[in-house]
Amino acid sequence: MDPLDIARWQFGITTVYHFVMVPLTLGLGLMVVVFQLMWLRTGREHWLRMTKFWGKLYLINFIMGVATGLVQEFQFGMAWSEYSRFVGDVFGAPLAMEGLFAFFVESTFLGLWIFGWDKLRKSVHTACLVIAVAASWASAYFIIVANSWMQHPVGVEMRDGHPVMTDVWAVLTNNTALTAVPHAWFGACSVAGGFLVGISWYHLYKRRSTGVDRIGPDGRVLVGEVARGGRDATDHRVWLTSLRIGAVVGMVAFAGTAATGDVQGKLMFEQQPLKMASAEAACEDTTSFSVFSLGSPGSNNCQDVTPVLEIPGLLSFLAHSDFTTDVKGINTLQPEYEERYGTQLPENPLYGERSGVAMKYSPDMAVTYWGFRLMIGLGGISAFSCLVALWLTRRGTVPGGVWLMRLAVFGILAPFAANIAGWIFTELGRQPFVVAPNPSAGAADGVYMFTAAAVSPGVSGETVLFSTIALTAVYAVLAVVEIALITVFVRGGVPSAMPQLARESHDDSDGSSPSRDSDDVLAFAY
């Protein structure tokens, strides 16, 4: 039982699950900041309700993200101790900055925001949220800096077989990171946009299906009110405003991811050419982009891949911004990598039984090929659905069809899946390296590490399998908890975040103003 394969599955399972939380935390946090700033500026009730409702969902996701993210650091010592030794002198700086300058600041000011309702001045309370969300975006920057160094090592020199940082500024301004960071930020905004659209569509549909809102003779909505559950005219405005803002954000975010993705792709052609050749199933040098190929790309055998539909010149444009320059294919690049990094894994105790195994430098073709297309395709579908949502709600509400509502809710998953596909493509496309070599530095530089050397040498396959099963089971429970929490609060609507609205709608009070103490504090934070 090979511990390497199991360790990779373990890290993949836990990382992908944690990454589901990350873009929603980043994107939804920004949306809540906008809503609270608008409430601070205008004092209008619907902005306050939007802040409270979406803020509660933001916090649920944030808490789960923290819980699942802690395991990532533990895994460096559990199954990847050799990797930790190799990158430790480099990763120390960005990860320390992430913990001290980002995570601690984020948690502190988020706590002030949670418990500061009606205790802090409105401007100070809003500033706490702004600082917390800005810190979360800074946290993402530092994490991506560390990851980008694995994709493109810079600012180091080799000493005693380990890279030692010599230029922290080069690490922090790595061109790979400077393109990956805005790409990830835009991806997070696309997730938040789809989240707002799907949930808001559900509530507007519920208002229509229960007869609260009706369609007038001119085809425009007639907003109604009922004396229960806070389903008044302001409630309608909450959902319509949220939906339309989410749709605009989703479309702008897709344009941003496309633009930054183009820059990022050009860098990948320079820094990791085999990753991009595999993503295109390009076996021979070519200028054509493969829209669709048949065969068994998972075998990494070029003889099993047959392009069905290609666009001449497009691959050259993606790589070189022209339509005529050939892009190197797998059959050209494989010998080049073998010449620089060897035809076999070195004879070294770190590799165990894998020592001397013939090297295949191209990553899994099926994962990179379809991951690249899913990332782009699902992102485009999400943006198109946002455009459709804007058009269909131009008269003030959503259509009455239940299947269209279900499609809108299900569509929340599309930008999530696009982000995950992009992350998997980026990480698995780096194989067989855990730290990819920098082509511009030359082979003599030696700053690279095979994944086969990164796994902990003293850990058996059975041990890693046990921890994988245990972590997967815990994460499965956490997934059920998060989905259940979000479902309960989404179905409850704004009153789930502002219980006084539900009380006000019942005529059993003495007519005095509702209490704004504990109900205004997000209760689950206790």
Side-chain angles (χ1 to χ4, degrees):
M1 187 177 293
D2 191 347
L4 174 62
D5 292 335
I6 304 172
R8 289 181 64 190
W9 272 105
Q10 180 189 97
F11 202 86
I13 291 169
T14 55
T15 302
V16 167
Y17 180 78
H18 171 64
F19 187 70
V20 171
M21 322 290 178
V22 173
L24 183 58
T25 296
L26 295 174
L28 192 56
L30 180 62
M31 296 296 96
V32 177
V33 164
V34 171
F35 300 155
Q36 183 154 346
L37 285 171
M38 291 301 297
W39 171 61
L40 178 67
R41 179 177 176 271
T42 66
R44 294 180 179 176
E45 175 71 12
H46 71 285
W47 292 115
L48 174 61
R49 294 189 188 185
M50 290 164 66
T51 302
K52 293 274 191 167
F53 175 77
W54 297 111
K56 174 156 283 191
L57 299 185
Y58 164 68
L59 284 177
I60 294 173
N61 191 74
F62 173 81
I63 292 167
M64 285 295 180
V66 172
T68 57
L70 291 173
V71 178
Q72 308 306 308
E73 297 180 7
F74 295 147
Q75 286 191 93
F76 292 151
M78 290 168 54
W80 301 99
S81 61
E82 291 300 324
Y83 162 82
S84 300
R85 291 190 183 97
F86 188 80
V87 303
D89 289 335
V90 181
F91 274 27
L95 293 184
M97 292 176 184
E98 190 271 337
L100 294 174
F101 299 152
F103 183 73
F104 288 170
V105 172
E106 179 183 12
S107 302
T108 299
F109 282 92
L110 202 56
L112 290 172
W113 182 71
I114 292 171
F115 298 106
W117 287 97
D118 297 326
K119 296 177 180 66
L120 299 173
R121 280 178 17 190
K122 288 183 178 180
S123 58
V124 174
H125 183 253
T126 303
C128 289
L129 178 63
V130 172
I131 294 172
V133 172
S136 71
W137 283 54
S139 177
Y141 163 74
F142 289 121
I143 294 297
I144 292 175
V145 162
N147 179 268
S148 295
W149 186 87
M150 295 163 59
Q151 308 283 348
H152 181 233
V154 295
V156 296
E157 64 179 36
M158 294 296 290
R159 297 177 187 171
D160 300 325
H162 291 81
V164 176
M165 186 185 300
T166 58
D167 188 349
V168 66
W169 185 247
V171 174
L172 294 176
T173 59
N174 188 347
N175 59 359
T176 305
L178 295 181
T179 56
V181 167
H183 190 67
W185 284 345
F186 279 118
C189 289
S190 70
V191 167
F195 196 70
L196 264 63
V197 168
I199 293 174
S200 299
W201 191 295
Y202 166 77
H203 279 285
L204 288 170
Y205 167 79
K206 294 295 288 184
R207 288 179 62 94
R208 279 205 61 181
S209 64
T210 55
V212 178
D213 296 334
R214 296 177 294 108
I215 300 299
D218 60 352
R220 299 193 63 83
V221 64
L222 298 175
V223 179
E225 299 194 27
V226 295
R228 60 183 176 83
R231 300 172 75 184
D232 52 14
T234 303
D235 180 70
H236 171 269
R237 192 169 187 181
V238 164
W239 304 122
L240 184 63
T241 304
S242 296
L243 186 149
R244 296 184 72 80
I245 289 177
V248 172
V249 168
M251 291 189 297
V252 172
F254 176 73
T257 54
T260 55
D262 178 65
V263 177
Q264 196 174 22
K266 286 176 170 57
L267 274 180
M268 283 187 188
F269 277 108
E270 296 176 10
Q271 297 170 357
Q272 297 181 43
L274 264 172
K275 175 190 289 187
M276 297 308 296
S278 295
E280 296 305 322
C283 295
E284 306 297 336
D285 298 356
T286 182
T287 65
S288 300
F289 177 88
S290 169
V291 178
F292 181 67
S293 294
L294 289 178
S296 304
S299 68
N300 274 15
N301 188 340
C302 284
Q303 295 178 351
D304 293 336
V305 179
T306 303
V308 176
L309 179 61
E310 294 183 320
I311 302 178
L314 182 56
L315 186 60
S316 296
F317 178 79
L318 294 176
H320 305 295
S321 298
D322 64 47
F323 296 94
T324 57
T325 303
D326 274 342
V327 176
K328 290 183 178 180
I330 294 173
N331 290 336
T332 299
L333 292 168
Q334 174 73 17
E336 293 181 4
Y337 272 69
E338 290 177 350
E339 181 179 355
R340 299 182 72 177
Y341 308 112
T343 58
Q344 298 173 318
L345 275 176
E347 295 289 342
N348 190 308
L350 286 177
Y351 299 100
E353 297 178 355
R354 294 179 295 274
S355 297
V357 172
M359 289 299 300
K360 184 71 174 178
Y361 288 99
S362 59
D364 190 296
M365 200 183 300
V367 173
T368 53
Y369 185 87
W370 292 112
F372 189 62
R373 279 147 187 78
L374 284 172
M375 173 183 65
I376 297 172
L378 290 172
I381 290 172
S382 178
F384 178 73
S385 67
C386 288
L387 177 62
V388 172
L390 276 179
W391 173 256
L392 293 179
T393 58
R394 68 193 185 281
R395 297 186 182 276
T397 190
V398 298
V402 63
W403 285 105
L404 200 56
M405 180 274 292
R406 292 172 179 171
L407 185 62
V409 173
F410 184 74
I412 293 174
L413 299 178
F416 276 105
N419 274 261
I420 292 172
W423 188 257
I424 292 174
F425 161 70
T426 299
E427 297 308 299
L428 287 185
R430 187 176 62 246
Q431 298 304 317
F433 299 99
V434 68
V435 176
N438 185 341
S440 63
D445 191 41
V447 184
Y448 64 88
M449 187 182 201
F450 290 116
T451 305
V455 71
S456 300
V459 176
S460 66
E462 290 76 10
T463 301
V464 182
L465 179 61
F466 174 80
S467 61
T468 300
I469 294 172
L471 288 173
T472 302
V474 171
Y475 274 35
V477 172
L478 290 177
V480 172
V481 171
E482 178 171 22
I483 293 171
L485 280 173
I486 288 181
T487 301
V488 167
F489 286 111
V490 166
R491 287 180 174 175
V494 175
S496 66
M498 301 178 70
Q500 68 271 23
L501 290 176
R503 287 204 314 272
E504 285 174 351
S505 63
H506 293 81
D507 219 6
D508 56 356
S509 66
D510 59 3
S512 61
S513 299
S515 170
R516 294 180 63 91
D517 49 13
S518 62
D519 284 336
D520 273 344
V521 177
L522 301 174
F524 65 85
Y526 290 109

